[in-house]
Amino acid sequence: MQENQSQALWNRGRILRAKLILTVGYASGAMIVLGGGVMLLFFLTEQLFPLCTDQLNLSTVLKSLGVLLFSAVMAAEIGVSAVWIGYMKRSVVAAVTASVILASLGCQLLQFSYLSAAAAGAGVLVLLVPAVLAVRNLYEKILNLEV
């Protein structure tokens, strides 16, 4: 009996880990791939048909890639927090609503990343704390579930 219970706990933890990895991977991967595609398209068309008064140089490209990296991390944090809210409310609608609200907050924080890397790091930390707490709480709830 004890062996079956420890096996069930191990399986629950493994399933939760897979779900969180999928959430983080999808959110950050989609942000990097799609954001990178948009940037590539913009930079290519900017070379052919200049729209901006500034010159496109390496510094601008690197700054854009930094913002994209911060965006990917924030998307992963938002995804994890939305999964937690959806689990706590036992509602997909709550998870979707939470992700929209958190994404709006993330966008407001991300606009400061254009000011400095420190401001972007602060924005990432603001969303990191709830995401870490959400993961800890999810593990506690899932592993202590009565079946």
Side-chain angles (χ1 to χ4, degrees):
M1 181 70 172
Q2 184 69 16
E3 188 175 310
N4 287 340
Q5 188 176 12
S6 66
Q7 182 70 22
L9 287 175
W10 184 77
N11 285 339
R12 279 191 227 145
R14 204 169 157 197
I15 290 170
L16 178 60
R17 194 173 320 119
K19 184 180 240 184
L20 290 174
I21 288 170
L22 187 66
T23 300
V24 167
Y26 179 76
S28 59
M31 182 66 73
I32 288 173
V33 169
L34 297 175
V38 168
M39 284 183 189
L40 180 66
L41 183 66
F42 174 75
F43 291 146
L44 288 176
T45 57
E46 183 65 22
Q47 291 297 323
L48 297 174
F49 310 105
L51 296 173
C52 301
T53 57
D54 292 339
Q55 290 290 339
L56 184 62
N57 54 24
L58 185 62
S59 144
T60 306
V61 172
L62 290 177
K63 188 174 185 176
S64 297
L65 290 175
V67 169
L68 183 61
L69 181 65
F70 283 121
S71 299
V73 171
M74 290 174 94
E77 294 166 348
I78 289 168
V80 168
S81 297
V83 165
W84 176 74
I85 291 169
Y87 176 78
M88 297 307 287
K89 295 291 184 184
R90 299 206 187 330
S91 168
V92 174
V93 174
V96 171
T97 304
S99 64
V100 169
I101 292 169
L102 290 170
S104 298
L105 172 68
C107 288
Q108 296 302 316
L109 293 172
L110 192 61
Q111 73 180 343
F112 294 113
S113 66
Y114 291 103
L115 299 176
S116 72
V124 167
L125 285 176
V126 164
L127 292 175
L128 180 67
V129 172
V132 169
L133 293 174
V135 168
R136 279 189 63 204
N137 188 264
L138 275 172
Y139 270 102
E140 288 173 8
K141 296 270 187 201
I142 296 294
L143 295 180
N144 294 325
L145 244 155
E146 293 290 326
V147 182

